[in-house]
Amino acid sequence: MLLIENFINGSYCAPLDSTYLDNVNPATGIVISKIPRSNKKDIDLAVQSAQAAFPNWSASSQESRFLILNKIAEGIESHLNELALAETNDTGKAISHSRQIDIPRAASNFRFFATAAMQFASESHDMPKRAINYTLRQPIGIVGCISPWNLPLYLFTWKIAPALATGNCVIAKPSELSPTTAFLLGKICKEAGLPDGVLNIIQGYGTEVGEAIIQHPDIKAISFTGGTKTGKHIATQVASKFKKLSLELGGKNPCLVFADCDYEQTLKQVVRLAFSNSGQICLCGSRILIEERIYEQFKKDFIAKVDKMLPSDPLDPDCKMGSLISNEHLNKVLNYIELAKEEGGSILSGGTQIKLSGRCEGGSFIKPCVIEGLGPDCRTNMEEIFGPVVTLQSFKTDEQALELANCSQYGLASSIWTTNLNRAHRLAEQIQTGIVWINCWLLRDLRTPFGGLNNSGVGREGGYEAMRFFTEPKNICINYNSNL
Ligand code: NDP
């Protein structure tokens, strides 16, 4: 059985207390590896190694960082099959998803921020005939990156790459439910020439080792992606320590379908945005709002498609939908479906646990679920379920659509499906989400600001937003007027 280790100071090592956790493949229910149950002592060791590495790394040239980050991207690509298999075995997601989306995107993250290191520039502010100010953007020092299980290496690298590109040393923690690709990344970084101590990857429980990261006085910034409840806890903990904080949290994303949409294309894309990765993407649409004129027809056609979707063995190359992340999460999703019924909702499709035979008989599979008959204020429509569960609601006017869309404590992403460009622009301006897709979903340009409002988080990732987050701006004012 694979024994996963921490990666500290450029070497793999056992947790200092020698305690381990089981890592279960959720598609089979079988333990596939042991992972370190690290704690504060391991974080202290990682911080020491990062402190030793920081002076040289922060002073290294942009070009040398560019070359190393690019090599890491190449290393990820050359280990595509191994990483994709590890991602699927940890999470139960379809192997095609790991191969075509998760792992290629992890490589793109490194390549993108390698280039950003070369292009990043700071501002200058001229005071005519008196002085010039210029802004130095310096690395923060040691930063903590904490990521979730749904897109493991994809989101892990989305944080680590800009932190490294800007000259910081990193203490990073993946979810204990998806440890393997982060573990493998250590070796890839070492082979790419990343100096020892610059990236330290520590495994274990969020409440133990994650907590040690956020509490550590020498870790000056925290970049966190995960649930809103955890984000709230972290925000309260780090506020009094004045750490820089970026929070990418949950969502309850609306999808607005208008009668004048490109019908077939919209139908296909709404199925995709609802159920990709079994609905376990923070950007998935979970509240489908449909204009009344086409509600019945759209519902019928949508359900016909969803009825045909069956989860299967994620290692099957033709698998479109694998298992959920764990049995515990499956029970949470099933409980929400029961709640929806208690709240008066009707189940139009799926929503039941699926038992597969053979290799996957112990897996956590569920048939995608479509619910109607619930108003915007019920818990099913207010709380993030983070599974393959969507509700359908109808609206008559643009104003009603907007009201329903904005009736949420979350504000991460939305999508608008219409061929009326005026309406699309008008609604996009008024909708309260950090990201709005018009006639598309998950179309990502890595230069754009990424993040949400309200319960969906604070701050933005992506492009120069991430480069700015991981640097401390310092204004330097030079007087050139001797009469001042
Ligand atoms: P959690 O909040 O449970 O965990 C996220 C990470 O935080 C994990 O690595 C976890 O460790 C760690 N953690 C848990 N407790 C603490 C703590 N006290 N201190 C420090 N770290 C801690 O989220 P999930 O892993 O369940 O991820 C799903 C959530 O992530 C959903 O709400 C989803 O919407 C959100 N998400 C948001 C995205 C965005 O960009 N806005 C993108 C993707 C997901 P461990 O797992 O080991 O306990």
Side-chain angles (χ1 to χ4, degrees), residues 399-453:
E399 289 65 35
Q400 271 180 7
L402 192 63
E403 198 178 323
L404 285 175
N406 285 341
C407 186
S408 173
Q409 296 290 309
Y410 291 100
L412 185 56
S414 54
S415 62
I416 301 172
W417 302 85
T418 176
T419 50
N420 179 337
L421 202 55
N422 292 347
R423 165 189 285 147
H425 275 306
R426 204 173 49 247
L427 292 179
E429 199 185 32
Q430 294 178 72
I431 212 158
Q432 287 160 20
T433 58
I435 301 156
V436 184
W437 277 293
I438 296 172
N439 298 325
C440 59
W441 179 71
L442 212 57
L443 187 55
R444 293 277 295 116
D445 179 328
L446 302 189
R447 293 169 300 178
T448 59
F450 179 91
L453 317 171

Side-chain angles (χ1 to χ4, degrees), residues 379-399:
R379 281 182 58 202
T380 310
N381 272 326
M382 300 287 275
E383 297 176 15
E384 185 187 45
I385 300 174
F386 214 53
V389 180
V390 297
T391 62
L392 307 184
Q393 297 174 73
S394 75
F395 63 83
K396 276 193 185 139
T397 63
D398 288 12
E399 289 65 35

Side-chain angles (χ1 to χ4, degrees), residues 21 35 145-151 155 158-159 173-178 203-214 222 224-231 233-234 237 247-252 280-283 325 329 332 384 386 410 412 435 450-452 456-457 461:
L21 306 166
I35 73 163
C145 297
I146 302 175
S147 56
W149 47 259
N150 63 326
L151 298 167
L155 291 173
W158 180 234
K159 297 183 176 306
K173 189 199 99 63
S175 168
E176 102 271 358
L177 299 172
S178 55
Q203 308 270 356
Y205 283 128
T207 48
E208 297 175 356
V209 72
E211 193 70 27
I213 292 175
I214 64 170
I222 302 290
F224 171 82
T225 298
T228 298
K229 196 168 158 224
T230 317
H233 168 75
I234 293 176
Q237 293 300 305
L247 295 174
E248 299 295 339
L249 308 177
K252 190 74 183 175
Q280 300 170 123
I281 299 181
C282 54
L283 304 164
I325 184 64
H329 191 56
K332 178 187 153 190
E384 185 187 45
F386 214 53
Y410 291 100
L412 185 56
I435 301 156
F450 179 91
S456 293
E461 296 187 322

